[in-house]
Amino acid sequence: MARLILFNKPFGVLSQFTDRGSPTKRATLSDYIDVPGVYPAGRLDRDSEGLLLLTDDGKLQARIADPKFKTAKTYLAQVEGEIGDEALASLRSGVTLNDGPTRTAEAERIDPPDLWPRDPPIRVRKAIPDCWISLTITEGRNRQVRRMTAAVGHPTLRLVRWRIGEWTLDGVAPGELREG
């Protein structure tokens, strides 16, 4: 029976069990997860938070992480500025990034979600408002959501992956895990 673990990755934690490449010790999955034989199904940037799935089943890992399977991933993004209908329409139809056009996406403005405080908090600039969007993509390019929001003029300030396929972060606190 395949093992699946849902982990709420805190900000600043690498999506790997070891840190190769930094002279200073950075937090890794091994600081939070002591389950032998499981590996991340995909990645989540160090400066992003939220759902990371880990499994001991290579086929399941590939189904979750490989873009050809088009597993939907939903992100909650706090973006700079008041995003309008035109920017949301651009996100929905796909934007052109330096590595090519993105697939179509689901994008909507949302009320600020009830999330845990981020440590460290985002930078706040009194002269520049911010808002939250929900963005669902079926790809997983490097820093894709951040690049998409920047391409429509709204850089991402905070990014939380909330859902991957049928699995959600609901009820999993930062730094905690739950068997899926």
Side-chain angles (χ1 to χ4, degrees):
M1 175 94 181
R3 188 163 199 187
L4 182 73
I5 294 172
L6 287 70
F7 176 61
N8 187 345
K9 187 191 88 60
F11 179 87
V13 175
L14 296 173
S15 294
Q16 57 200 44
F17 283 96
T18 59
D19 181 15
R20 300 178 295 267
S22 175
T24 59
K25 168 101 171 85
R26 298 181 294 184
T28 66
L29 297 178
S30 61
D31 295 314
Y32 295 88
I33 301 170
D34 187 19
V35 179
V38 297
Y39 299 94
R43 301 182 64 82
L44 191 57
D45 294 331
R46 184 171 165 234
D47 56 355
S48 297
E49 309 161 72
L51 184 60
L52 186 65
L53 299 176
L54 298 99
T55 183
D56 58 1
D57 181 326
K59 286 183 181 178
L60 178 59
Q61 186 179 22
R63 186 174 62 81
I64 293 166
D66 194 320
K68 77 179 179 187
F69 293 105
K70 300 181 181 174
T71 302
K73 298 166 189 75
T74 299
Y75 295 83
L76 306 179
Q78 185 177 15
V79 297
E80 195 172 89
E82 296 285 343
I83 197 163
D85 292 340
E86 188 176 316
L88 289 169
S90 293
L91 291 171
R92 288 183 195 115
S93 63
V95 297
T96 300
L97 304 176
N98 61 355
D99 55 353
T102 65
R103 291 181 184 154
T104 59
E106 294 174 28
E108 65 179 327
R109 187 170 171 162
I110 59 172
D111 290 332
D114 185 20
L115 296 173
W116 55 90
R118 195 184 91 171
D119 183 25
I122 66 156
R123 65 177 161 71
V124 175
R125 299 195 325 213
K126 292 183 184 186
I128 301 175
D130 61 64
C131 68
W132 284 86
I133 63 169
S134 171
L135 186 65
T136 301
I137 61 173
T138 57
E139 299 174 278
R141 299 187 205 178
N142 185 39
R143 302 181 70 78
Q144 181 175 343
V145 171
R146 291 178 187 280
R147 294 190 297 140
M148 288 175 73
T149 64
V152 298
H154 297 277
T156 296
L157 302 172
R158 183 176 182 192
L159 187 60
V160 178
R161 183 162 57 197
W162 189 258
R163 175 185 298 276
I164 300 173
E166 65 191 69
W167 301 283
T168 178
L169 200 57
D170 196 31
V172 185
E176 292 187 359
L177 51 93
R178 178 177 79 212
E179 291 279 341

